[in-house]
Amino acid sequence: MDESKAEKTIAKFPRLLGYRIAENLDPTLHWLKDTGMSDSQVASVIAKFPMLIGLSIKGNLKPTLQWLKDLGMSDSQVAKAVGNFPTLLGLSIEANLKTKLQWLKDLGMSDSQVAKSVANTPQLLSRSIERKLKPTLQWLKDLGMSDSQVARAVDTSPMLLGLSIQGNLKPT
């Protein structure tokens, strides 16, 4: 990580300066590398989500990574998802990830469709069901789309559920 990125990372999360190298930084950096990430990918992940350093490897990071694999994602899909949206590792499995997974399955998506959607658009798992996902789903249904058409549209373009109805979806 170059000096400029390090400064921005510390500015985003000043508590990083209080972490101990041997107890916090080294173990997390090594764990990230052990998942198959390159040095540049690790630097990018930390720059995007510096709070990751403060998360427990045993209590947060490993279980979340395993949950993603259990979802049916390949190692490369998991690396892509975490690289694009490292905040994913900080989301609660019980309170967030399982709920979103069930919601996507209730749309009629298969396990493989959900895994592909999460790999391509991991931010989907951080969206509020009530404030973001359901209103977008309802808007698509109001257009006359059936449940299977909506599931197919989300499978093809999962970012669709993250778009603003007013700013992106409604014609102007």
Side-chain angles (χ1 to χ4, degrees), residues 49-80:
F49 186 54
M51 290 72 84
L52 181 85
I53 296 291
L55 296 177
S56 163
I57 293 171
K58 185 179 177 182
N60 296 96
L61 302 177
K62 278 185 180 179
T64 304
L65 193 71
Q66 188 59 53
W67 185 88
L68 293 168
K69 289 180 180 182
D70 291 347
L71 183 60
M73 294 173 67
S74 67
D75 288 344
S76 63
Q77 285 177 315
V78 170
K80 177 183 175 183

Side-chain angles (χ1 to χ4, degrees), residues 35-153:
T35 67
M37 291 186 187
S38 67
D39 287 346
S40 63
Q41 287 172 315
V42 169
S44 176
V45 163
I46 298 302
K48 289 178 186 175
F49 186 54
M51 290 72 84
L52 181 85
I53 296 291
L55 296 177
S56 163
I57 293 171
K58 185 179 177 182
N60 296 96
L61 302 177
K62 278 185 180 179
T64 304
L65 193 71
Q66 188 59 53
W67 185 88
L68 293 168
K69 289 180 180 182
D70 291 347
L71 183 60
M73 294 173 67
S74 67
D75 288 344
S76 63
Q77 285 177 315
V78 170
K80 177 183 175 183
V82 170
N84 289 336
F85 189 63
T87 306
L88 184 61
L89 292 175
L91 298 176
S92 164
I93 292 171
E94 293 301 322
N96 196 315
L97 300 177
K98 285 183 177 181
T99 308
K100 304 295 176 5
L101 171 67
Q102 190 57 55
W103 190 85
L104 291 168
K105 285 183 174 185
D106 289 347
L107 284 180
M109 295 178 73
S110 67
D111 290 346
S112 63
Q113 287 175 315
V114 171
K116 183 180 127 196
S117 294
V118 170
N120 292 327
T121 311
Q123 298 86 341
L124 191 60
L125 295 177
S126 70
R127 304 286 189 233
S128 166
I129 290 173
E130 295 302 320
R131 290 188 312 272
K132 191 65 173 175
L133 301 177
K134 278 185 180 179
T136 304
L137 174 67
Q138 189 57 53
W139 185 82
L140 293 170
K141 287 183 175 185
D142 289 347
L143 289 176
M145 292 177 75
S146 67
D147 289 346
S148 63
Q149 288 173 319
V150 171
R152 194 171 32 244

